[in-house]
Amino acid sequence: MRRGTSFVQRERLTVALYDSHRLPDFPYTRASSSFSAVVQLYAQSSQLDTAEVRHRRFRDTPPWCHFGCDAFESVHHIFARCPAFFAIRRAHSMQLCDETSSLLEGGVADRVRKALEGAAQRVFFDDAGLWPQYQTRFYVGVLPTLARIVGNISETEVGVLPPQSHDMGNIASS
């Protein structure tokens, strides 16, 4: 193996395709979801300890999923595809849908509300209609842009939502 190639990032994420809302100044230290922020950091830098990473770097383990799947245990597989975690993804999807519905109740036009509620149902799953690169990327801390979800939004359709809620990242993190 060539020296230095085992720690090279395997996938490139085209961040410009996703929501560009401003992140808080303290995402890894004082955030209520600091564990999630650390997982995102490790996933973005190819440092999350999956079978695929260990196999590629150290050759000390087979690259197959530890949970019995016939798939490579990649970060994407664990967070988006592995059947062992389907119930967890589904539960969090339902919670996100409920919170999105309550945030948007009476605050936006029906078209916008339905589009955002539909997107909330699909955040944790691969969906070519929602995700710019056809696969979910929530686990690295990015979300689709509002323009991709609802198209052109007018000020009257946005309604009474506070200005910081006008992007998907702030709706999802509320």
Side-chain angles (χ1 to χ4, degrees):
M1 180 180 343
R2 291 181 301 170
R3 184 182 175 118
T5 60
S6 65
F7 291 94
V8 175
Q9 190 172 353
R10 301 267 300 163
E11 294 181 8
R12 295 285 182 222
L13 179 68
T14 308
V15 180
L17 297 174
Y18 297 92
D19 187 4
S20 62
H21 72 279
R22 188 175 183 283
L23 296 173
D25 294 331
F26 50 86
Y28 302 110
T29 57
R30 296 186 304 182
S32 61
S33 58
S34 60
F35 176 77
S36 174
V38 170
V39 169
Q40 291 171 14
L41 177 66
Y42 284 150
Q44 287 174 356
S45 61
S46 296
Q47 299 295 312
L48 205 57
D49 190 26
T50 62
E52 178 189 39
V53 169
R54 291 188 62 84
H55 177 75
R56 187 177 72 244
R57 291 184 183 162
F58 308 114
R59 304 277 187 225
D60 65 346
T61 185
W64 308 108
C65 182
H66 285 90
F67 301 99
C69 306
D70 290 331
F72 286 116
E73 186 183 278
S74 65
V75 173
H76 184 77
H77 172 75
I78 293 293
F79 285 101
R81 293 188 177 153
C82 189
F85 300 105
F86 179 79
I88 294 170
R89 284 190 300 274
R90 189 77 201 129
H92 284 283
S93 179
M94 291 171 51
Q95 180 183 0
L96 180 61
C97 290
D98 292 344
E99 291 175 12
T100 301
S101 294
S102 66
L103 273 173
L104 299 174
E105 198 168 279
V108 296
D110 284 342
R111 176 183 80 86
V112 174
R113 183 181 51 75
K114 287 178 184 177
L116 290 174
E117 287 173 349
Q121 292 174 351
R122 303 181 329 250
V123 165
F124 299 110
F125 302 96
D126 289 341
D127 186 321
L130 179 64
W131 291 98
Q133 293 180 310
Y134 311 114
Q135 294 180 337
T136 183
R137 296 289 193 223
F138 75 90
Y139 52 88
V140 291
V142 296
L143 292 167
T145 61
L146 274 179
R148 183 169 180 85
I149 296 168
V150 295
N152 294 330
I153 263 183
S154 69
E155 286 299 317
T156 57
E157 288 180 303
V158 171
V160 296
L161 286 177
Q164 68 272 15
S165 296
H166 293 187
D167 60 51
M168 187 67 179
N170 285 321
I171 290 171
S173 66
S174 296

